[in-house]
Amino acid sequence: MSEDFQIAWFVYAGSTLVLLAAGWWFMRNWRWSWLRRAFLLVLAAVFLVPVKIPVAESVAMPVLPLYLYQLLFEENGAAPEVTANLVFAAGGALAVMVVWGLVSLLFKFRRERRRRFDEDPYFNEQ
């Protein structure tokens, strides 16, 4: 990868992280924090996941800008591998958030149950 392209990647990644931090800042008072986290993680995944197109001497590019470019400016639309990378990036981010949400719900349920048992030692949910 050439030095100019590395600098472009650094600028792109830095500006994307600034954009995501600004999004987190403006959404910090949302009541549903899990929705904010899911939204920001999916945006980070689709903005920052690189895709390498099967053209000789090509370099990895961010998947969402490449997808939009191909969709708007190429005759055949977006390439299948670019579309698949975009779908798998967003789906993977959502899968991570689902697992994170289920684990946090399980811990919250167990914490609430333990708190109820500590308040009432005769509490039994059988």
Side-chain angles (χ1 to χ4, degrees), residues 28-49:
R28 71 187 185 280
N29 292 328
W30 280 18
R31 183 140 179 98
W32 295 348
S33 65
W34 62 270
L35 182 61
R36 179 189 67 224
R37 288 186 197 121
F39 183 66
L40 291 174
L41 185 67
V42 169
L43 280 178
V46 299
F47 276 132
L48 293 175
V49 168

Side-chain angles (χ1 to χ4, degrees), residues 23-71:
W24 176 83
W25 176 260
F26 287 115
M27 292 187 291
R28 71 187 185 280
N29 292 328
W30 280 18
R31 183 140 179 98
W32 295 348
S33 65
W34 62 270
L35 182 61
R36 179 189 67 224
R37 288 186 197 121
F39 183 66
L40 291 174
L41 185 67
V42 169
L43 280 178
V46 299
F47 276 132
L48 293 175
V49 168
V51 60
K52 185 163 176 76
I53 50 180
V55 178
E57 301 293 324
S58 68
V59 293
M61 297 181 62
V63 69
L64 186 64
L66 181 62
Y67 175 78
L68 291 175
Y69 173 79
Q70 287 182 349
L71 191 66

